[in-house]
mmCIF file of all heavy atoms in Angstrom:
data_model
loop_
_atom_site.group_PDB
_atom_site.id
_atom_site.type_symbol
_atom_site.label_atom_id
_atom_site.label_comp_id
_atom_site.label_asym_id
_atom_site.label_seq_id
_atom_site.Cartn_x
_atom_site.Cartn_y
_atom_site.Cartn_z
ATOM 1 N N MET A 97 25.178 2.799 -11.453
ATOM 2 C CA MET A 97 24.836 3.106 -10.074
ATOM 3 C C MET A 97 25.646 2.199 -9.147
ATOM 4 O O MET A 97 25.891 1.047 -9.474
ATOM 5 C CB MET A 97 23.333 2.882 -9.856
ATOM 6 C CG MET A 97 22.831 3.420 -8.538
ATOM 7 S SD MET A 97 21.041 3.243 -8.352
ATOM 8 C CE MET A 97 20.448 4.419 -9.558
ATOM 9 N N THR A 98 26.038 2.731 -8.009
ATOM 10 C CA THR A 98 26.741 1.943 -7.004
ATOM 11 C C THR A 98 25.724 1.375 -6.012
ATOM 12 O O THR A 98 24.594 1.879 -5.918
ATOM 13 C CB THR A 98 27.750 2.802 -6.224
ATOM 14 O OG1 THR A 98 27.016 3.765 -5.447
ATOM 15 C CG2 THR A 98 28.739 3.507 -7.157
ATOM 16 N N PRO A 99 26.121 0.377 -5.230
ATOM 17 C CA PRO A 99 25.219 -0.102 -4.179
ATOM 18 C C PRO A 99 24.823 1.010 -3.191
ATOM 19 O O PRO A 99 23.688 1.028 -2.713
ATOM 20 C CB PRO A 99 26.021 -1.210 -3.498
ATOM 21 C CG PRO A 99 26.874 -1.755 -4.598
ATOM 22 C CD PRO A 99 27.280 -0.514 -5.383
ATOM 23 N N ALA A 100 25.726 1.942 -2.919
ATOM 24 C CA ALA A 100 25.383 3.049 -2.010
ATOM 25 C C ALA A 100 24.273 3.916 -2.613
ATOM 26 O O ALA A 100 23.350 4.334 -1.909
ATOM 27 C CB ALA A 100 26.613 3.891 -1.704
ATOM 28 N N ASP A 101 24.355 4.178 -3.922
ATOM 29 C CA ASP A 101 23.291 4.926 -4.602
ATOM 30 C C ASP A 101 21.972 4.161 -4.518
ATOM 31 O O ASP A 101 20.923 4.737 -4.241
ATOM 32 C CB ASP A 101 23.630 5.145 -6.082
ATOM 33 C CG ASP A 101 24.880 5.985 -6.302
ATOM 34 O OD1 ASP A 101 25.185 6.857 -5.467
ATOM 35 O OD2 ASP A 101 25.565 5.743 -7.327
ATOM 36 N N ALA A 102 22.037 2.871 -4.795
ATOM 37 C CA ALA A 102 20.832 2.030 -4.757
ATOM 38 C C ALA A 102 20.249 1.988 -3.350
ATOM 39 O O ALA A 102 19.030 2.062 -3.156
ATOM 40 C CB ALA A 102 21.165 0.624 -5.241
ATOM 41 N N ARG A 103 21.111 1.903 -2.349
ATOM 42 C CA ARG A 103 20.651 1.859 -0.959
ATOM 43 C C ARG A 103 19.860 3.130 -0.615
ATOM 44 O O ARG A 103 18.841 3.065 0.068
ATOM 45 C CB ARG A 103 21.847 1.694 -0.025
ATOM 46 C CG ARG A 103 21.479 1.378 1.401
ATOM 47 C CD ARG A 103 22.707 1.107 2.262
ATOM 48 N NE ARG A 103 23.514 0.010 1.781
ATOM 49 C CZ ARG A 103 23.301 -1.282 2.060
ATOM 50 N NH1 ARG A 103 22.272 -1.618 2.812
ATOM 51 N NH2 ARG A 103 24.099 -2.211 1.595
ATOM 52 N N ARG A 104 20.313 4.278 -1.112
ATOM 53 C CA ARG A 104 19.590 5.534 -0.854
ATOM 54 C C ARG A 104 18.187 5.487 -1.481
ATOM 55 O O ARG A 104 17.213 5.900 -0.860
ATOM 56 C CB ARG A 104 20.375 6.731 -1.386
ATOM 57 C CG ARG A 104 21.503 7.163 -0.472
ATOM 58 C CD ARG A 104 22.122 8.481 -0.903
ATOM 59 N NE ARG A 104 22.926 8.348 -2.108
ATOM 60 C CZ ARG A 104 24.180 7.905 -2.134
ATOM 61 N NH1 ARG A 104 24.776 7.546 -1.009
ATOM 62 N NH2 ARG A 104 24.850 7.835 -3.263
ATOM 63 N N ARG A 105 18.086 4.965 -2.683
ATOM 64 C CA ARG A 105 16.776 4.856 -3.336
ATOM 65 C C ARG A 105 15.852 3.930 -2.536
ATOM 66 O O ARG A 105 14.676 4.227 -2.352
ATOM 67 C CB ARG A 105 16.919 4.336 -4.754
ATOM 68 C CG ARG A 105 17.493 5.364 -5.694
ATOM 69 C CD ARG A 105 17.582 4.837 -7.105
ATOM 70 N NE ARG A 105 18.297 5.776 -7.937
ATOM 71 C CZ ARG A 105 17.720 6.649 -8.748
ATOM 72 N NH1 ARG A 105 16.409 6.691 -8.824
ATOM 73 N NH2 ARG A 105 18.450 7.463 -9.476
ATOM 74 N N PHE A 106 16.400 2.815 -2.081
ATOM 75 C CA PHE A 106 15.567 1.865 -1.349
ATOM 76 C C PHE A 106 15.257 2.344 0.068
ATOM 77 O O PHE A 106 14.247 1.947 0.644
ATOM 78 C CB PHE A 106 16.181 0.459 -1.390
ATOM 79 C CG PHE A 106 15.830 -0.246 -2.669
ATOM 80 C CD1 PHE A 106 16.575 -0.041 -3.819
ATOM 81 C CD2 PHE A 106 14.719 -1.069 -2.743
ATOM 82 C CE1 PHE A 106 16.235 -0.654 -5.016
ATOM 83 C CE2 PHE A 106 14.367 -1.689 -3.928
ATOM 84 C CZ PHE A 106 15.122 -1.476 -5.069
ATOM 85 N N SER A 107 16.068 3.218 0.618
ATOM 86 C CA SER A 107 15.730 3.842 1.907
ATOM 87 C C SER A 107 14.482 4.706 1.751
ATOM 88 O O SER A 107 13.631 4.755 2.648
ATOM 89 C CB SER A 107 16.888 4.689 2.416
ATOM 90 O OG SER A 107 17.951 3.866 2.825
ATOM 91 N N ALA A 108 14.361 5.372 0.614
ATOM 92 C CA ALA A 108 13.163 6.178 0.345
ATOM 93 C C ALA A 108 11.931 5.275 0.212
ATOM 94 O O ALA A 108 10.838 5.634 0.665
ATOM 95 C CB ALA A 108 13.362 7.015 -0.912
#
Side-chain angles (χ1 to χ4, degrees):
M97 191 176 291
T98 67
D101 297 330
R103 191 175 301 275
R104 281 189 288 279
R105 287 182 188 261
F106 278 84
S107 289

